[in-house]
PDB file of all heavy atoms in Angstrom:
ATOM      1  N   GLY A 574      86.351 100.441 103.720  1.00  0.00           N
ATOM      2  CA  GLY A 574      86.154  99.870 105.050  1.00  0.00           C
ATOM      3  C   GLY A 574      86.011 100.951 106.096  1.00  0.00           C
ATOM      4  O   GLY A 574      85.157 100.715 106.930  1.00  0.00           O
ATOM      5  N   ASN A 575      86.801 102.013 106.001  1.00  0.00           N
ATOM      6  CA  ASN A 575      86.697 102.978 107.017  1.00  0.00           C
ATOM      7  C   ASN A 575      85.290 103.609 107.017  1.00  0.00           C
ATOM      8  O   ASN A 575      84.817 103.890 108.002  1.00  0.00           O
ATOM      9  CB  ASN A 575      87.778 104.079 106.853  1.00  0.00           C
ATOM     10  CG  ASN A 575      89.154 103.629 107.145  1.00  0.00           C
ATOM     11  OD1 ASN A 575      89.256 102.706 107.914  1.00  0.00           O
ATOM     12  ND2 ASN A 575      90.143 104.260 106.657  1.00  0.00           N
ATOM     13  N   LEU A 576      84.863 103.866 105.829  1.00  0.00           N
ATOM     14  CA  LEU A 576      83.386 104.471 105.665  1.00  0.00           C
ATOM     15  C   LEU A 576      82.443 103.451 106.365  1.00  0.00           C
ATOM     16  O   LEU A 576      81.531 103.874 107.138  1.00  0.00           O
ATOM     17  CB  LEU A 576      83.118 104.814 104.252  1.00  0.00           C
ATOM     18  CG  LEU A 576      81.672 105.308 104.027  1.00  0.00           C
ATOM     19  CD1 LEU A 576      81.483 106.603 104.774  1.00  0.00           C
ATOM     20  CD2 LEU A 576      81.420 105.582 102.506  1.00  0.00           C
ATOM     21  N   TYR A 577      82.470 102.281 105.927  1.00  0.00           N
ATOM     22  CA  TYR A 577      81.586 101.276 106.512  1.00  0.00           C
ATOM     23  C   TYR A 577      81.605 101.228 108.030  1.00  0.00           C
ATOM     24  O   TYR A 577      80.671 101.229 108.615  1.00  0.00           O
ATOM     25  CB  TYR A 577      81.923  99.826 105.926  1.00  0.00           C
ATOM     26  CG  TYR A 577      81.032  98.744 106.508  1.00  0.00           C
ATOM     27  CD1 TYR A 577      79.781  98.586 106.005  1.00  0.00           C
ATOM     28  CD2 TYR A 577      81.469  97.964 107.517  1.00  0.00           C
ATOM     29  CE1 TYR A 577      79.004  97.560 106.446  1.00  0.00           C
ATOM     30  CE2 TYR A 577      80.703  96.936 108.036  1.00  0.00           C
ATOM     31  CZ  TYR A 577      79.491  96.780 107.516  1.00  0.00           C
ATOM     32  OH  TYR A 577      78.602  95.785 107.939  1.00  0.00           O
ATOM     33  N   ARG A 578      82.759 101.332 108.692  1.00  0.00           N
ATOM     34  CA  ARG A 578      82.821 101.293 110.029  1.00  0.00           C
ATOM     35  C   ARG A 578      82.376 102.506 110.787  1.00  0.00           C
ATOM     36  O   ARG A 578      82.188 102.559 111.964  1.00  0.00           O
ATOM     37  CB  ARG A 578      84.390 100.910 110.456  1.00  0.00           C
ATOM     38  CG  ARG A 578      84.747  99.562 110.212  1.00  0.00           C
ATOM     39  CD  ARG A 578      86.127  99.205 110.605  1.00  0.00           C
ATOM     40  NE  ARG A 578      87.208  99.832 109.854  1.00  0.00           N
ATOM     41  CZ  ARG A 578      87.569  99.335 108.705  1.00  0.00           C
ATOM     42  NH1 ARG A 578      87.115  98.168 108.297  1.00  0.00           N
ATOM     43  NH2 ARG A 578      88.580  99.913 107.988  1.00  0.00           N
ATOM     44  N   LEU A 579      82.281 103.605 109.954  1.00  0.00           N
ATOM     45  CA  LEU A 579      81.587 104.789 110.507  1.00  0.00           C
ATOM     46  C   LEU A 579      80.161 104.801 110.614  1.00  0.00           C
ATOM     47  O   LEU A 579      79.529 105.557 111.319  1.00  0.00           O
ATOM     48  CB  LEU A 579      82.023 106.030 109.679  1.00  0.00           C
ATOM     49  CG  LEU A 579      83.545 106.532 109.844  1.00  0.00           C
ATOM     50  CD1 LEU A 579      83.797 107.691 108.786  1.00  0.00           C
ATOM     51  CD2 LEU A 579      83.834 107.068 111.253  1.00  0.00           C
ATOM     52  N   MET A 580      79.571 103.917 109.880  1.00  0.00           N
ATOM     53  CA  MET A 580      78.076 103.893 109.726  1.00  0.00           C
ATOM     54  C   MET A 580      77.540 103.220 110.973  1.00  0.00           C
ATOM     55  O   MET A 580      78.209 102.325 111.668  1.00  0.00           O
ATOM     56  CB  MET A 580      77.642 103.003 108.544  1.00  0.00           C
ATOM     57  CG  MET A 580      78.044 103.564 107.163  1.00  0.00           C
ATOM     58  SD  MET A 580      77.572 102.456 105.919  1.00  0.00           S
ATOM     59  CE  MET A 580      78.005 103.441 104.513  1.00  0.00           C
ATOM     60  N   ASP A 581      76.310 103.662 111.341  1.00  0.00           N
ATOM     61  CA  ASP A 581      75.608 103.096 112.416  1.00  0.00           C
ATOM     62  C   ASP A 581      74.937 101.769 111.922  1.00  0.00           C
ATOM     63  O   ASP A 581      74.904 101.547 110.713  1.00  0.00           O
ATOM     64  CB  ASP A 581      74.529 104.014 113.128  1.00  0.00           C
ATOM     65  CG  ASP A 581      73.391 104.496 112.225  1.00  0.00           C
ATOM     66  OD1 ASP A 581      73.057 103.679 111.280  1.00  0.00           O
ATOM     67  OD2 ASP A 581      72.990 105.666 112.438  1.00  0.00           O
ATOM     68  N   SER A 582      74.293 101.035 112.908  1.00  0.00           N
ATOM     69  CA  SER A 582      73.805  99.726 112.417  1.00  0.00           C
ATOM     70  C   SER A 582      72.604  99.855 111.437  1.00  0.00           C
ATOM     71  O   SER A 582      72.605  98.976 110.494  1.00  0.00           O
ATOM     72  CB  SER A 582      73.224  98.971 113.636  1.00  0.00           C
ATOM     73  OG  SER A 582      72.203  99.646 114.381  1.00  0.00           O
ATOM     74  N   GLY A 583      71.923 100.829 111.487  1.00  0.00           N
ATOM     75  CA  GLY A 583      70.875 101.104 110.496  1.00  0.00           C
ATOM     76  C   GLY A 583      71.380 101.421 109.136  1.00  0.00           C
ATOM     77  O   GLY A 583      70.849 100.923 108.116  1.00  0.00           O
ATOM     78  N   GLU A 584      72.399 102.237 109.093  1.00  0.00           N
ATOM     79  CA  GLU A 584      72.969 102.559 107.846  1.00  0.00           C
ATOM     80  C   GLU A 584      73.715 101.333 107.193  1.00  0.00           C
ATOM     81  O   GLU A 584      73.572 101.153 105.978  1.00  0.00           O
ATOM     82  CB  GLU A 584      74.076 103.640 108.061  1.00  0.00           C
ATOM     83  CG  GLU A 584      73.409 105.017 108.366  1.00  0.00           C
ATOM     84  CD  GLU A 584      74.497 105.980 108.782  1.00  0.00           C
ATOM     85  OE1 GLU A 584      75.440 105.581 109.511  1.00  0.00           O
ATOM     86  OE2 GLU A 584      74.317 107.192 108.504  1.00  0.00           O
ATOM     87  N   LYS A 585      74.261 100.536 108.026  1.00  0.00           N
ATOM     88  CA  LYS A 585      74.902  99.328 107.506  1.00  0.00           C
ATOM     89  C   LYS A 585      73.773  98.434 106.867  1.00  0.00           C
ATOM     90  O   LYS A 585      74.107  97.761 105.870  1.00  0.00           O
ATOM     91  CB  LYS A 585      75.654  98.596 108.645  1.00  0.00           C
ATOM     92  CG  LYS A 585      76.941  99.345 108.849  1.00  0.00           C
ATOM     93  CD  LYS A 585      77.702  98.619 110.056  1.00  0.00           C
ATOM     94  CE  LYS A 585      78.988  99.320 110.446  1.00  0.00           C
ATOM     95  NZ  LYS A 585      79.786  98.652 111.623  1.00  0.00           N
ATOM     96  N   ALA A 586      72.749  98.189 107.628  1.00  0.00           N
ATOM     97  CA  ALA A 586      71.682  97.377 107.134  1.00  0.00           C
ATOM     98  C   ALA A 586      71.183  97.782 105.790  1.00  0.00           C
ATOM     99  O   ALA A 586      70.788  96.899 105.023  1.00  0.00           O
ATOM    100  CB  ALA A 586      70.541  97.264 108.293  1.00  0.00           C
ATOM    101  N   ARG A 587      70.842  99.086 105.695  1.00  0.00           N
ATOM    102  CA  ARG A 587      70.295  99.601 104.469  1.00  0.00           C
ATOM    103  C   ARG A 587      71.311  99.468 103.307  1.00  0.00           C
ATOM    104  O   ARG A 587      70.957  99.168 102.147  1.00  0.00           O
ATOM    105  CB  ARG A 587      69.963 101.026 104.624  1.00  0.00           C
ATOM    106  CG  ARG A 587      68.670 101.221 105.481  1.00  0.00           C
ATOM    107  CD  ARG A 587      68.159 102.680 105.493  1.00  0.00           C
ATOM    108  NE  ARG A 587      69.133 103.622 106.134  1.00  0.00           N
ATOM    109  CZ  ARG A 587      69.222 103.715 107.442  1.00  0.00           C
ATOM    110  NH1 ARG A 587      68.394 103.179 108.296  1.00  0.00           N
ATOM    111  NH2 ARG A 587      70.040 104.626 107.915  1.00  0.00           N
ATOM    112  N   LEU A 588      72.602  99.740 103.626  1.00  0.00           N
ATOM    113  CA  LEU A 588      73.577  99.501 102.590  1.00  0.00           C
ATOM    114  C   LEU A 588      73.642  97.961 102.148  1.00  0.00           C
ATOM    115  O   LEU A 588      73.559  97.758 100.843  1.00  0.00           O
ATOM    116  CB  LEU A 588      74.908  99.924 103.201  1.00  0.00           C
ATOM    117  CG  LEU A 588      76.191  99.689 102.159  1.00  0.00           C
ATOM    118  CD1 LEU A 588      76.107 100.456 100.810  1.00  0.00           C
ATOM    119  CD2 LEU A 588      77.434  99.976 102.949  1.00  0.00           C
ATOM    120  N   VAL A 589      73.741  97.134 103.048  1.00  0.00           N
ATOM    121  CA  VAL A 589      73.806  95.745 102.711  1.00  0.00           C
ATOM    122  C   VAL A 589      72.536  95.304 101.956  1.00  0.00           C
ATOM    123  O   VAL A 589      72.634  94.567 100.845  1.00  0.00           O
ATOM    124  CB  VAL A 589      74.000  94.843 103.962  1.00  0.00           C
ATOM    125  CG1 VAL A 589      73.771  93.401 103.597  1.00  0.00           C
ATOM    126  CG2 VAL A 589      75.503  95.123 104.499  1.00  0.00           C
ATOM    127  N   SER A 590      71.386  95.724 102.393  1.00  0.00           N
ATOM    128  CA  SER A 590      70.125  95.414 101.666  1.00  0.00           C
ATOM    129  C   SER A 590      70.093  95.870 100.286  1.00  0.00           C
ATOM    130  O   SER A 590      69.723  95.177  99.382  1.00  0.00           O
ATOM    131  CB  SER A 590      68.951  96.064 102.474  1.00  0.00           C
ATOM    132  OG  SER A 590      67.744  95.736 101.795  1.00  0.00           O
ATOM    133  N   ASN A 591      70.615  97.089 100.024  1.00  0.00           N
ATOM    134  CA  ASN A 591      70.657  97.671  98.606  1.00  0.00           C
ATOM    135  C   ASN A 591      71.617  96.844  97.782  1.00  0.00           C
ATOM    136  O   ASN A 591      71.309  96.576  96.640  1.00  0.00           O
ATOM    137  CB  ASN A 591      71.096  99.178  98.671  1.00  0.00           C
ATOM    138  CG  ASN A 591      69.966 100.103  99.189  1.00  0.00           C
ATOM    139  OD1 ASN A 591      68.841  99.726  98.913  1.00  0.00           O
ATOM    140  ND2 ASN A 591      70.314 101.245  99.670  1.00  0.00           N
ATOM    141  N   ILE A 592      72.761  96.582  98.345  1.00  0.00           N
ATOM    142  CA  ILE A 592      73.696  95.673  97.571  1.00  0.00           C
ATOM    143  C   ILE A 592      73.088  94.270  97.168  1.00  0.00           C
ATOM    144  O   ILE A 592      73.167  94.041  96.012  1.00  0.00           O
ATOM    145  CB  ILE A 592      75.008  95.573  98.353  1.00  0.00           C
ATOM    146  CG1 ILE A 592      75.787  96.893  98.371  1.00  0.00           C
ATOM    147  CG2 ILE A 592      75.959  94.519  97.697  1.00  0.00           C
ATOM    148  CD1 ILE A 592      76.875  97.025  99.299  1.00  0.00           C
ATOM    149  N   VAL A 593      72.546  93.772  98.290  1.00  0.00           N
ATOM    150  CA  VAL A 593      71.984  92.404  97.956  1.00  0.00           C
ATOM    151  C   VAL A 593      70.818  92.484  96.890  1.00  0.00           C
ATOM    152  O   VAL A 593      70.775  91.625  96.001  1.00  0.00           O
ATOM    153  CB  VAL A 593      71.480  91.782  99.277  1.00  0.00           C
ATOM    154  CG1 VAL A 593      70.577  90.609  99.021  1.00  0.00           C
ATOM    155  CG2 VAL A 593      72.687  91.394 100.242  1.00  0.00           C
ATOM    156  N   THR A 594      70.012  93.371  96.973  1.00  0.00           N
ATOM    157  CA  THR A 594      68.956  93.586  96.009  1.00  0.00           C
ATOM    158  C   THR A 594      69.532  93.682  94.573  1.00  0.00           C
ATOM    159  O   THR A 594      68.982  93.172  93.660  1.00  0.00           O
ATOM    160  CB  THR A 594      68.048  94.836  96.401  1.00  0.00           C
ATOM    161  OG1 THR A 594      67.379  94.490  97.695  1.00  0.00           O
ATOM    162  CG2 THR A 594      66.976  95.114  95.312  1.00  0.00           C
ATOM    163  N   HIS A 595      70.627  94.452  94.388  1.00  0.00           N
ATOM    164  CA  HIS A 595      71.125  94.740  93.135  1.00  0.00           C
ATOM    165  C   HIS A 595      72.028  93.475  92.697  1.00  0.00           C
ATOM    166  O   HIS A 595      72.186  93.348  91.409  1.00  0.00           O
ATOM    167  CB  HIS A 595      71.925  96.019  93.133  1.00  0.00           C
ATOM    168  CG  HIS A 595      71.092  97.151  93.112  1.00  0.00           C
ATOM    169  ND1 HIS A 595      70.665  97.713  94.274  1.00  0.00           N
ATOM    170  CD2 HIS A 595      70.455  97.798  92.057  1.00  0.00           C
ATOM    171  CE1 HIS A 595      69.826  98.846  93.996  1.00  0.00           C
ATOM    172  NE2 HIS A 595      69.783  98.893  92.619  1.00  0.00           N
ATOM    173  N   MET A 596      72.429  92.664  93.521  1.00  0.00           N
ATOM    174  CA  MET A 596      73.261  91.551  93.098  1.00  0.00           C
ATOM    175  C   MET A 596      72.583  90.158  93.153  1.00  0.00           C
ATOM    176  O   MET A 596      73.177  89.193  92.569  1.00  0.00           O
ATOM    177  CB  MET A 596      74.430  91.429  94.122  1.00  0.00           C
ATOM    178  CG  MET A 596      75.458  92.510  94.017  1.00  0.00           C
ATOM    179  SD  MET A 596      76.865  92.253  95.168  1.00  0.00           S
ATOM    180  CE  MET A 596      77.399  90.646  94.705  1.00  0.00           C
ATOM    181  N   GLU A 597      71.386  90.114  93.646  1.00  0.00           N
ATOM    182  CA  GLU A 597      70.751  88.837  93.841  1.00  0.00           C
ATOM    183  C   GLU A 597      70.500  88.030  92.535  1.00  0.00           C
ATOM    184  O   GLU A 597      70.426  86.853  92.418  1.00  0.00           O
ATOM    185  CB  GLU A 597      69.529  88.916  94.577  1.00  0.00           C
ATOM    186  CG  GLU A 597      68.344  89.679  94.121  1.00  0.00           C
ATOM    187  CD  GLU A 597      67.313  90.003  95.135  1.00  0.00           C
ATOM    188  OE1 GLU A 597      67.358  89.471  96.257  1.00  0.00           O
ATOM    189  OE2 GLU A 597      66.337  90.753  94.747  1.00  0.00           O
ATOM    190  N   LYS A 598      70.424  88.737  91.414  1.00  0.00           N
ATOM    191  CA  LYS A 598      70.136  87.946  90.142  1.00  0.00           C
ATOM    192  C   LYS A 598      71.459  87.748  89.313  1.00  0.00           C
ATOM    193  O   LYS A 598      71.470  87.234  88.387  1.00  0.00           O
ATOM    194  CB  LYS A 598      69.178  88.818  89.228  1.00  0.00           C
ATOM    195  CG  LYS A 598      67.808  88.855  89.746  1.00  0.00           C
ATOM    196  CD  LYS A 598      66.738  89.502  89.006  1.00  0.00           C
ATOM    197  CE  LYS A 598      65.406  89.578  89.731  1.00  0.00           C
ATOM    198  NZ  LYS A 598      64.471  90.294  88.895  1.00  0.00           N
ATOM    199  N   ALA A 599      72.635  88.274  89.899  1.00  0.00           N
ATOM    200  CA  ALA A 599      73.919  88.035  89.143  1.00  0.00           C
ATOM    201  C   ALA A 599      74.269  86.556  89.416  1.00  0.00           C
ATOM    202  O   ALA A 599      73.848  85.824  90.350  1.00  0.00           O
ATOM    203  CB  ALA A 599      74.920  88.948  89.759  1.00  0.00           C
ATOM    204  N   ASN A 600      75.013  86.076  88.469  1.00  0.00           N
ATOM    205  CA  ASN A 600      75.725  84.697  88.530  1.00  0.00           C
ATOM    206  C   ASN A 600      76.408  84.516  89.840  1.00  0.00           C
ATOM    207  O   ASN A 600      77.029  85.529  90.332  1.00  0.00           O
ATOM    208  CB  ASN A 600      76.720  84.650  87.348  1.00  0.00           C
ATOM    209  CG  ASN A 600      77.362  83.303  87.238  1.00  0.00           C
ATOM    210  OD1 ASN A 600      78.283  83.079  88.157  1.00  0.00           O
ATOM    211  ND2 ASN A 600      76.987  82.618  86.354  1.00  0.00           N
ATOM    212  N   GLN A 601      76.311  83.322  90.419  1.00  0.00           N
ATOM    213  CA  GLN A 601      76.836  83.098  91.783  1.00  0.00           C
ATOM    214  C   GLN A 601      78.296  83.262  91.787  1.00  0.00           C
ATOM    215  O   GLN A 601      78.931  83.733  92.811  1.00  0.00           O
ATOM    216  CB  GLN A 601      76.416  81.700  92.167  1.00  0.00           C
ATOM    217  CG  GLN A 601      76.661  81.628  93.748  1.00  0.00           C
ATOM    218  CD  GLN A 601      76.101  80.288  94.344  1.00  0.00           C
ATOM    219  OE1 GLN A 601      76.718  79.257  93.983  1.00  0.00           O
ATOM    220  NE2 GLN A 601      74.953  80.323  94.970  1.00  0.00           N
ATOM    221  N   ASP A 602      79.051  82.950  90.749  1.00  0.00           N
ATOM    222  CA  ASP A 602      80.508  83.220  90.695  1.00  0.00           C
ATOM    223  C   ASP A 602      80.809  84.791  90.861  1.00  0.00           C
ATOM    224  O   ASP A 602      81.770  85.032  91.510  1.00  0.00           O
ATOM    225  CB  ASP A 602      81.132  82.672  89.429  1.00  0.00           C
ATOM    226  CG  ASP A 602      81.138  81.134  89.306  1.00  0.00           C
ATOM    227  OD1 ASP A 602      81.104  80.425  90.404  1.00  0.00           O
ATOM    228  OD2 ASP A 602      81.155  80.589  88.210  1.00  0.00           O
TER     229      ASP A 602
END
C-alpha cells in the first residue's frame, strides 16, 4: 500500500492495467 501511494497517477494506471490484463481470464471467484 505504501508503494502504491508513492506512485504518480500514470504509474498507478500502468500498474492496474498490467494486473487487469493478467487477471482478466482468471475465474471470477
Side-chain angles (χ1 to χ4, degrees):
N575 287 342
L576 178 60
Y577 178 80
R578 288 183 288 277
L579 285 174
M580 294 178 179
D581 66 32
S582 61
E584 290 168 326
K585 289 178 181 178
R587 288 187 295 278
L588 173 65
V589 169
S590 176
N591 285 333
I592 290 169
V593 168
T594 297
H595 286 89
M596 288 182 59
E597 62 191 358
K598 292 183 182 177
N600 177 289
Q601 196 172 73
D602 290 335

